Amino acid sequence: NKGLKLQNESDLLAESSRSVVMDNALSIIECSICLDTFQQPITLPCGHSLCASHHADIDGKCPFCRKEFSQTLAIRDMADTDLSKNIDIVLKLANELDSDRDTVRNATNNFNMTLYVIPSGTIVSLQGLVNATERNGARGVVKMYNQETGRYNVALDGSNSTVSVRPTKLLQHARVRINGIVNKPEMNDQEGTIVSWCHTNDRYNVETQQKIVSLKPKNVILVPETVVRFVGLVNKQEMNGKWGTIKQWIENSRKYEVQLTTQRTIIISMENVRV
């Protein structure tokens, strides 16, 4: 429940570290649907909170746990005045910490990027290299992530060499399940592995048991624990380029729940993540 009841500023200041304070503050005041500070927050009967403006779009079901509630329940009956008060408390605390909300958010994201790196042993391909174009498409295995340089050490197949590569220059050979194909429904529910990305048509090339197929991101379901990068977000452009770990795919909304920190998740469209 976003409406974590912090009675006053001292509840936050009692946290063990500045990073925990910032993380808790963000999780309290941010709506997981629009990724912005709550506007007229409401809390559904199940306990999940969202902006009042999203109420008309959820069809009587919580977008997070999918529990149903009466559509006759008025917004005024679900208004969360405690959560509204908490937003004011958090913003006041942010000022006392001599930092605005954007600084808090960026600092928290930067701190937690290291928590969700591509695991060692993951098969990857190199892509987008400019100074070593001959290596584009080469496959390898992630050996480790260097936190100081922000690069991965990758052991290339067929050689004894290890290269240091930025995260955006790697494509994970992630496992997927095909979904949402209308013109060839027999392909749906087949499993496969991403083997490359085509920049000209923004599609994954996915290897199945039968063949390699070209699919849009919205037609491949990435499995939980896959590390993804956010792209194409319009309302929260500062999130583009950030990374998180898929917690689950929400079938009814066709969106992912992605873990950003140990305490913070967001709901994001399939088209807005890349491996």
Side-chain angles (χ1 to χ4, degrees), residues 138-150:
R139 297 190 181 192
V141 176
V142 171
K143 303 302 290 184
M144 64 169 292
Y145 176 73
N146 188 320
Q147 186 173 339
E148 293 184 0
T149 63

Side-chain angles (χ1 to χ4, degrees), residues 2-256:
K2 293 290 186 180
L4 179 63
K5 308 305 180 186
L6 297 179
Q7 298 300 318
N8 50 48
E9 294 93 326
S10 63
D11 291 325
L12 282 173
L13 292 172
E15 297 292 343
S16 61
S17 69
R18 182 186 178 96
S19 62
V20 173
V21 170
M22 290 188 291
D23 210 15
N24 285 342
L26 287 171
S27 68
I28 293 167
I29 68 174
E30 187 173 86
C31 173
S32 291
I33 294 180
C34 62
L35 307 183
D36 209 344
T37 304
F38 279 115
Q39 300 295 320
Q40 295 180 307
I42 62 174
T43 295
L44 304 177
C46 61
H48 290 109
S49 301
L50 61 153
C51 297
S53 59
H54 304 311
H55 178 259
D57 301 324
I58 59 178
D59 297 323
K61 288 184 180 180
C62 173
F64 307 105
C65 67
R66 307 307 297 171
K67 288 185 178 179
E68 296 184 359
F69 61 93
S70 173
Q71 291 183 281
T72 61
L73 190 60
I75 289 179
R76 64 176 178 273
D77 296 327
M78 295 185 286
D80 194 330
T81 55
D82 288 334
L83 180 53
S84 296
K85 292 177 182 178
N86 286 337
I87 292 174
D88 294 335
I89 291 173
V90 170
L91 294 180
K92 182 178 179 181
L93 178 63
N95 290 330
E96 290 179 354
L97 292 174
D98 202 20
S99 172
D100 59 25
R101 282 179 293 157
D102 287 337
T103 302
V104 171
R105 183 180 294 110
N106 290 336
T108 304
N109 287 341
N110 290 337
F111 175 79
N112 284 286
M113 275 182 65
T114 58
L115 299 177
Y116 297 99
V117 299
I118 299 172
S120 298
T122 300
I123 299 174
V124 295
S125 291
L126 306 185
Q127 62 177 5
L129 299 177
V130 176
N131 296 326
T133 55
E134 71 280 359
R135 282 184 164 170
N136 286 325
R139 297 190 181 192
V141 176
V142 171
K143 303 302 290 184
M144 64 169 292
Y145 176 73
N146 188 320
Q147 186 173 339
E148 293 184 0
T149 63
R151 291 172 175 254
Y152 288 94
N153 292 339
V154 178
L156 298 180
D157 292 351
S159 70
N160 295 323
S161 61
T162 300
V163 294
S164 178
V165 188
R166 285 182 293 170
T168 54
K169 303 302 181 182
L170 295 178
L171 175 83
Q172 299 171 71
H173 288 212
R175 293 291 298 171
V176 299
R177 179 164 59 88
I178 300 173
N179 184 271
I181 303 293
V182 177
N183 57 347
K184 292 184 178 180
E186 67 276 7
M187 293 180 59
N188 292 323
D189 291 327
Q190 289 188 36
E191 295 184 351
T193 302
I194 293 173
V195 293
S196 63
W197 169 259
C198 182
H199 293 276
T200 57
N201 60 8
D202 288 342
R203 290 172 176 247
Y204 290 116
N205 289 324
V206 177
E207 185 176 23
T208 66
Q209 289 184 344
Q210 290 79 24
K211 58 183 178 180
I212 294 179
V213 293
S214 178
L215 299 170
K216 297 178 181 179
K218 69 178 183 179
N219 294 126
V220 296
I221 301 173
L222 299 162
V223 301
E225 305 303 323
T226 301
V227 177
V228 294
R229 179 169 55 94
F230 305 130
V231 299
L233 293 169
V234 176
N235 294 330
K236 296 291 288 184
Q237 295 185 18
E238 69 274 16
M239 293 292 293
N240 290 323
K242 304 296 184 184
W243 296 77
T245 298
I246 290 177
K247 187 175 181 180
Q248 64 172 325
W249 182 66
I250 306 171
E251 184 175 2
N252 292 326
S253 63
R254 295 187 60 77
K255 293 184 177 183
Y256 293 112

